[in-house]
Amino acid sequence: MKGLPAHWRLLPQRYNLIGSYCKNCSGRFFPQRSICPDCRRTGSMEEFKFSGKGEIYSYTVIRAPPQGFDYQVPYVIAIVKMDEGPFITTQIVDCNPEDVEIGKRVETVFRKVIADGESGIIRYGYKFRLTD
Amino acid sequence: MSVGIVGYGAYLPRYRIKTDEIARVWGKDPESVKKGLGVYEKTVPNLDEDAATIAVEASRNALLHSGIKPADIGAIYAGSESPPYAVKPTATIVGAAIEATPELTAADLEFACKAGTAAIQCCMGLVEAERIKFGLAVGSDTSQGMPGDILEYTASAGGAAFIIGKENLIAEIKDTHSFTTDTPDFWRREGEEFPKHGARFTGEPAYFKHVINCSKRIMERNKLSPKDFKYVVFHQPNGRFPLKAAKILGFDQEQIKPGLLTPWIGNTYSGSTLLGLVRILDEATEGDLILATSYGSGAGSDSFIIEVTKENEKRKNSKPLQSFIDRKDYVDYAVYAKLKGKIKGVKLEK
């Protein structure tokens, strides 16, 4: 069962888009950071929950997938610019690749990402879908 | 103050398959299947959706509608007959995904298609006893039908969640009553992929006996008759049974039609009665009385008498059920078989 503790530690990030906010410079970061890359030692970080809304900044269509993702092809992996600033790399679900365009609005959904074989844990997390 | 519904949320997967397409594959006459079942299409979950993801989406929508803080939820009960884990509660996944953990109790419930209403009763008890401030009751399923079986035309996916409490009620739950027997009308043994059913045995001694007796008893106890209700919703295993039950009890078409969803989404099992109730609450106004009676094979029914408050009009749900019903894309049987994992080896795992 590889990576079980790491997955467990990342649940807030994967389930609820919990990142970081620097009280010194108001910078927002995802994934979470313990030190502000701009303020360094003068920064003060706290947890920040992203709204899960944003727009497509760029995307690609996956036709040669990594192991385990075979049956979803063709699927879209996009860089989404979240409304609060940071970029996030994510799968765009419930659409045909031709429906996806740069600038289109997206919102987060809760989905199964991958399971560790037939008897291992199921890894759930964020994906995005096009906003109606 | 009395107990009731503080907020509710629904979720349906995007994909649909038509009855005609399933009938085509199995060499059945689509018109006679549609006439017999009263079902025209059903929802199909995506490869990455299961009873847990549906429960999370519905619960997030309920939380949004209620406006309460997740940390104020003291209990989560997740009802399903298709949980992704045999051992590991879906309720814990829901709790984490809505940020309600860790100060709460949580458990999964199973009672065929009525685990969601059983979850509401559990929450009502804890709220009434003032053990918790709010409880979250969810019913969700990605139900299974054996290829070619009559169940395959109806077994669909979806779910709904209700936040039960005493404050800012959009609807008051005036009473609840249950009717339970040991009736072997539908079952799935441990480790089996598909359920078995007693065919015609699922009607009179099962669905109708429980739904009708439970509904009658709660009306008698409250000195109410069908004409006192604006709406009625029953469990919807197909498009015919609830209409027949309504007729037997003396309800008319106008009372049952608003909450009758099976013709267009199929039987969402643990979500079925709850989604019908969601559809009704989306349009109900102050003072409307609703009778809701679920049915779970095995067998039992839970009835509820619900009175809508003024708050329901003030605080309209921003994600009404109709928006999920209208949001759809059709798939053919081949894609449906892939998405449902009916093709050997097709799994989202490594």
Side-chain angles (χ1 to χ4, degrees), chain B residues 99-170:
Chain B
E99 296 182 286
T101 51
E103 302 290 338
L104 80 167
T105 181
D108 285 6
L109 301 180
E110 188 278 320
F111 198 141
C113 297
K114 86 159 186 80
T117 54
I120 291 180
Q121 290 179 325
C122 292
C123 290
M124 283 174 68
L126 289 169
V127 168
E128 280 175 322
E130 298 189 343
R131 290 266 173 192
I132 60 169
K133 194 172 179 190
F134 300 109
L136 172 66
V138 199
S140 69
D141 263 308
T142 53
S143 52
Q144 307 292 329
M146 190 182 284
D149 187 80
I150 193 79
L151 276 181
E152 199 184 18
Y153 295 97
T154 55
S156 68
F162 285 78
I163 292 173
I164 306 298
K166 285 186 171 186
E167 299 170 7
N168 296 321
L169 303 181
I170 57 117

Side-chain angles (χ1 to χ4, degrees), chain B residues 6-8 60-67 170 312 315-317:
Chain B
V6 184
Y8 62 89
R60 283 179 174 173
N61 292 337
L63 201 59
L64 182 73
H65 180 228
S66 70
I170 57 117
N312 192 44
R315 197 152 48 82
K316 276 282 167 202
N317 197 311

Side-chain angles (χ1 to χ4, degrees), chain B residues 38-348:
Chain B
V39 175
Y40 308 104
E41 58 193 55
K42 67 167 191 173
T43 59
V44 179
N46 207 336
L47 203 58
D48 58 359
E49 291 184 294
D50 60 26
T53 66
I54 291 170
V56 168
E57 292 288 341
S59 300
R60 283 179 174 173
N61 292 337
L63 201 59
L64 182 73
H65 180 228
S66 70
I68 67 163
K69 286 188 288 190
D72 285 339
I73 292 174
I76 298 178
Y77 293 107
S80 180
E81 63 121 65
S82 54
Y85 286 97
V87 178
K88 165 95 178 83
T90 300
T92 60
I93 299 166
V94 173
I98 63 166
E99 296 182 286
T101 51
E103 302 290 338
L104 80 167
T105 181
D108 285 6
L109 301 180
E110 188 278 320
F111 198 141
C113 297
K114 86 159 186 80
T117 54
I120 291 180
Q121 290 179 325
C122 292
C123 290
M124 283 174 68
L126 289 169
V127 168
E128 280 175 322
E130 298 189 343
R131 290 266 173 192
I132 60 169
K133 194 172 179 190
F134 300 109
L136 172 66
V138 199
S140 69
D141 263 308
T142 53
S143 52
Q144 307 292 329
M146 190 182 284
D149 187 80
I150 193 79
L151 276 181
E152 199 184 18
Y153 295 97
T154 55
S156 68
F162 285 78
I163 292 173
I164 306 298
K166 285 186 171 186
E167 299 170 7
N168 296 321
L169 303 181
I170 57 117
E172 192 183 324
I173 302 176
K174 312 281 278 186
D175 196 10
T176 181
H177 180 75
S178 293
F179 187 92
T180 310
T181 69
D182 180 356
T183 306
D185 60 323
F186 170 101
W187 62 92
R188 180 165 62 82
R189 294 276 299 276
E190 183 66 42
E192 285 294 304
E193 196 175 347
F194 300 109
K196 300 261 188 196
H197 56 86
R200 285 183 183 162
F201 187 62
T202 59
E204 295 304 331
Y207 179 87
F208 292 105
K209 176 180 166 182
H210 294 79
V211 167
I212 287 164
N213 277 306
C214 201
S215 302
K216 269 186 180 166
R217 288 301 295 270
I218 199 170
M219 283 193 287
E220 281 165 14
R221 191 161 74 195
N222 289 275
K223 298 184 173 50
L224 293 168
S225 67
K227 64 174 173 27
D228 297 316
F229 293 88
K230 176 80 183 285
Y231 302 99
V232 65
V233 57
F234 300 127
H235 171 55
Q236 306 164 23
N238 53 52
R240 297 257 169 225
F241 277 21
L243 289 174
K244 191 175 166 190
K247 201 173 169 189
I248 293 168
L249 282 162
F251 289 95
D252 60 33
Q253 300 270 314
E254 282 70 45
Q255 289 165 296
I256 195 157
K257 278 286 169 71
L260 184 61
L261 308 168
T262 306
W264 305 107
I265 68 170
N267 178 6
T268 53
Y269 282 51
S270 299
S272 176
T273 311
L274 299 187
L275 283 165
L277 182 57
V278 164
R279 177 68 188 75
I280 289 168
L281 289 170
D282 280 341
E283 69 169 51
T285 54
E286 187 186 4
D288 287 349
L289 216 53
I290 305 163
L291 173 67
T293 301
S294 64
Y295 173 72
S297 291
S301 279
D302 301 324
S303 284
F304 301 85
I305 290 175
I306 298 163
E307 185 173 350
V308 178
T309 71
K310 202 173 178 176
E311 185 74 9
N312 192 44
E313 290 157 81
K314 275 205 325 218
R315 197 152 48 82
K316 276 282 167 202
N317 197 311
S318 63
K319 293 188 175 183
L321 186 57
Q322 198 60 42
S323 66
F324 292 98
I325 294 174
D326 295 342
R327 193 193 69 173
K328 62 182 172 184
D329 284 317
Y330 292 103
V331 293
D332 60 17
Y333 193 90
V335 172
Y336 161 76
K338 180 178 89 166
L339 296 180
K340 286 289 290 171
K342 291 188 187 217
I343 300 174
K344 201 174 175 188
V346 174
K347 281 180 181 129
L348 189 53

Side-chain angles (χ1 to χ4, degrees), chain A residues 11 15-16 18 49 67-73 91 93-95 107-118 120-124 127 129 132, chain B residues 11 13-15 46-50 52-54 56-57 60 84-85 92-93 96-99 319 323-324 327 329 338 344-350:
Chain A
L11 286 184
Y15 283 13
N16 286 307
I18 305 293
K49 184 179 180 176
Q67 188 200 349
F69 295 84
D70 321 63
Y71 302 111
Q72 295 178 89
V73 290
Q91 190 174 338
V93 294
D94 287 359
C95 64
E107 62 189 12
T108 189
V109 291
F110 186 84
R111 293 293 171 101
K112 179 173 160 179
V113 178
I114 197 82
D116 294 359
E118 281 212 7
I121 58 155
I122 302 166
R123 294 162 191 260
Y124 295 99
K127 293 184 184 179
R129 70 176 188 94
D132 293 323
Chain B
Y11 180 80
R14 187 183 190 97
Y15 296 107
N46 207 336
L47 203 58
D48 58 359
E49 291 184 294
D50 60 26
T53 66
I54 291 170
V56 168
E57 292 288 341
R60 283 179 174 173
Y85 286 97
T92 60
I93 299 166
I98 63 166
E99 296 182 286
K319 293 188 175 183
S323 66
F324 292 98
R327 193 193 69 173
D329 284 317
K338 180 178 89 166
K344 201 174 175 188
V346 174
K347 281 180 181 129
L348 189 53
E349 63 187 35
K350 61 177 180 183

